[in-house]
Amino acid sequence: MNKKTKIISVVNQKGGVGKTTTAVNLSTALAAINKKVLLIDLDPQGNLSTGLGIKNEDRKINVYDLIMVEKISIKKALINTKIPYLDIVPSGINLSGIEFELSEDINRNKKLYNKISTIDSEYDFIIIDCPPSLGILTINSLVASDLILVPLQCEFYALEGLAQLLKTVEAVKNNLNPDLRLEGIVLTMYDSRNRLSIDVINDAREHLGNKVFKTIIPRNVRLSEAPSHGLPAILYDRKCMGSEAYIELAREFINRVEAV
Ligand SMILES: Nc1ncnc2c1ncn2[C@@H]1O[C@H](COP(=O)(O)OP(=O)(O)O)[C@@H](O)[C@H]1O
Ligand SMILES: [Mg+2]
């Protein structure tokens, strides 16, 4: 594989914190500056695939086959989206049974890594949208990744669960992928009228320091409307506050990643 391809897990075992929204809009912002991006939809819910307008009939070969079928390569499983420079390996409904199917397989944690590491990749970034759990799928993503991005919703209890996530990351580092790095925490759904939102930001900065991205994603209804149009918010409404924030996040992300 081309050494310069960076593989990123967007991960948080809580649902509804902005993983998929972050994956799709960060990817689109990167593609817009001519970075070649491959998205992998690892959530059985398939929200990422739907949000990019990928129809069910186009998901016949999907991430389930990629993980489970020896001869299915990334190249076979991916679809070009309507956005230049942005491809996706879509989710499939049978993905929800995979934890059970793989439970006895001794190589279960390296399935995705084995596929990703063998491609001769022309991508600058491979971004993996994880499901809301710390099960086999998320472990596969962490084993295959260089970096981790953790979206954290600006709500009460936001930091709860983070310790468990970081413990899992440490375990993966110690046993399976020593080079894995927590790149950063992205604060999402910030509401300036809500005191709790401000408390969460202060808490996160106090505990996690410069791991927290400077860019904060505001709560913005345009971000939640976009998926029903099969579009990233950045294309649905380029000028809304949410889109502007994700474009800024992409800039900060690139600066961080390229500084290393
Ligand atoms: N910044 C935001 N402002 C408003 N709605 C948001 C924002 N981020 C995400 N949403 C909405 O919140 C819900 C959960 O977000 P999602 O990205 O799907 O989270 P996850 O992938 O972690 O489950 C979705 O309906 C999404 O459209
Ligand atoms: Mg999601």
Side-chain angles (χ1 to χ4, degrees):
M1 191 176 54
N2 187 335
K3 268 286 165 226
K4 77 177 190 359
T5 305
K6 285 262 183 281
I7 304 163
I8 299 123
S9 286
V10 182
V11 61
N12 187 326
Q13 74 273 32
K14 283 192 187 180
V17 298
K19 289 183 291 296
T20 301
T21 307
T22 298
V24 70
N25 287 296
L26 175 63
S27 300
T28 306
L30 292 169
I33 51 171
N34 296 353
K35 300 287 181 187
K36 195 141 201 282
V37 184
L38 174 66
L39 274 166
I40 298 182
D41 188 352
L42 209 52
D43 188 343
Q45 299 279 325
N47 295 341
L48 178 72
S49 309
T50 308
L52 279 166
I54 310 294
K55 299 191 186 73
N56 275 331
E57 62 259 34
D58 294 328
R59 301 182 195 179
K60 290 213 173 75
I61 298 177
N62 59 56
V63 73
Y64 174 88
D65 308 295
L66 178 69
I67 293 172
M68 297 300 280
V69 184
E70 188 81 43
K71 66 173 198 292
I72 300 284
S73 63
I74 295 246
K75 281 226 162 71
K76 274 215 182 105
L78 69 77
I79 301 174
N80 304 124
T81 69
K82 50 198 160 194
I83 300 151
Y85 292 99
L86 187 62
D87 296 338
I88 182 171
V89 176
S91 173
I93 39 170
N94 36 9
L95 196 59
S96 54
I98 211 167
E99 304 262 340
F100 178 71
E101 285 179 59
L102 283 176
S103 58
E104 310 260 289
D105 187 325
I106 52 164
N107 294 315
R108 62 183 172 275
N109 295 326
K110 299 190 93 175
K111 295 276 174 187
L112 189 62
Y113 169 84
N114 289 338
K115 290 298 172 81
I116 291 181
S117 61
T118 54
I119 61 166
D120 183 16
S121 172
E122 73 267 41
Y123 294 101
D124 296 294
F125 297 103
I126 298 177
I127 299 183
I128 308 170
D129 186 26
C130 288
S133 78
L134 293 174
I136 290 174
L137 286 169
T138 295
I139 301 297
N140 263 271
S141 184
L142 296 177
V143 171
S145 291
D146 302 301
L147 308 174
I148 302 167
L149 272 190
V150 181
L152 209 64
Q153 191 183 354
C154 293
E155 290 284 337
F156 196 47
Y157 295 134
L159 292 172
E160 204 184 66
L162 193 62
Q164 182 61 35
L165 172 58
L166 296 179
K167 229 159 87 185
T168 304
V169 170
E170 273 312 301
V172 169
K173 267 174 90 157
N174 291 337
N175 298 303
L176 297 156
N177 181 8
D179 298 327
L180 185 64
R181 191 174 86 225
L182 173 65
E183 184 60 36
I185 313 274
V186 184
L187 296 169
T188 65
M189 300 187 225
Y190 170 70
D191 180 354
S192 59
R193 292 162 305 181
N194 185 343
R195 253 233 66 90
L196 274 174
S197 258
I198 301 161
D199 290 347
V200 172
I201 291 179
N202 291 337
D203 258 20
R205 293 236 157 95
E206 186 181 327
H207 289 98
L208 303 155
N210 62 9
K211 284 287 175 203
V212 183
F213 280 92
K214 288 202 184 74
T215 311
I216 293 170
I217 310 300
R219 187 174 279 285
N220 178 213
V221 69
R222 307 298 268 171
L223 289 177
S224 57
E225 289 168 359
S228 66
H229 299 267
L231 284 174
I234 286 178
L235 296 186
Y236 173 66
D237 183 351
R238 159 82 182 68
K239 292 279 173 210
C240 73
M241 276 174 66
S243 295
E244 302 237 323
Y246 274 112
I247 291 165
E248 185 56 37
L249 180 70
R251 211 171 282 142
E252 191 181 353
F253 175 79
I254 286 273
N255 283 341
R256 278 198 192 201
V257 171
E258 292 184 349
V260 181

